[in-house]
Amino acid sequence: MTKILTGGVGKSEVASAVTGLGLPGVEIVVSSDMDAAVQLRAGRADYFLGTCHTGAGASLGVLVGLMGAAACHTFGRSVPSGAQIEALLDEGKKVFGFAVDQIDAITPALARALAARTA
């Protein structure tokens, strides 16, 4: 089972987008940044998807501070390729931030890659 937490201004939209994919073995939970950091650090969640208006600092600010920059990646305004997502996962990234207007472009590819990692 892969547990993905969502946070930020588009947390409900991200949760709906992931749920709509119907990925087996994926649990999606709308969360706050602080609760997500606690759950990730305790091993009670696997990944975090955060959104803000720019996809830069605010999408992951709390998580970068509590999880460390090595666990986090911000896509900002760019839409990553599947190869870029795989490379980030290979590096051990568990926390991802992106712009709220990129939810439809980023969420499906990212969620499928996360689900495949623990399938």
Side-chain angles (χ1 to χ4, degrees):
M1 175 70 71
T2 301
K3 185 173 183 180
I4 302 172
L5 306 175
T6 67
V9 295
K11 60 187 171 188
S12 295
E13 292 87 346
V14 172
S16 293
V18 174
T19 300
L21 296 171
L23 299 170
V26 171
E27 178 185 3
I28 186 81
V29 177
V30 174
S31 179
S32 69
D33 295 356
M34 289 299 293
D35 186 51
V38 169
Q39 288 195 52
L40 287 164
R41 289 176 72 166
R44 293 191 311 261
D46 301 296
Y47 299 101
F48 177 82
L49 308 181
T51 53
C52 70
H53 292 288
T54 64
S59 62
L60 299 181
V62 169
L63 283 120
V64 169
L66 296 175
M67 298 290 298
C72 303
H73 179 78
T74 317
F75 294 114
R77 302 284 317 143
S78 66
V79 176
S81 68
Q84 289 170 317
I85 292 170
E86 290 298 327
L88 292 166
L89 292 172
D90 288 344
E91 292 172 18
K93 305 294 184 191
K94 294 187 171 290
V95 177
F96 298 92
F98 48 96
V100 70
D101 64 346
Q102 300 288 355
I103 290 171
D104 292 339
I106 294 175
T107 304
L110 188 53
R112 286 184 180 107
L114 299 177
R117 287 289 169 130
T118 53

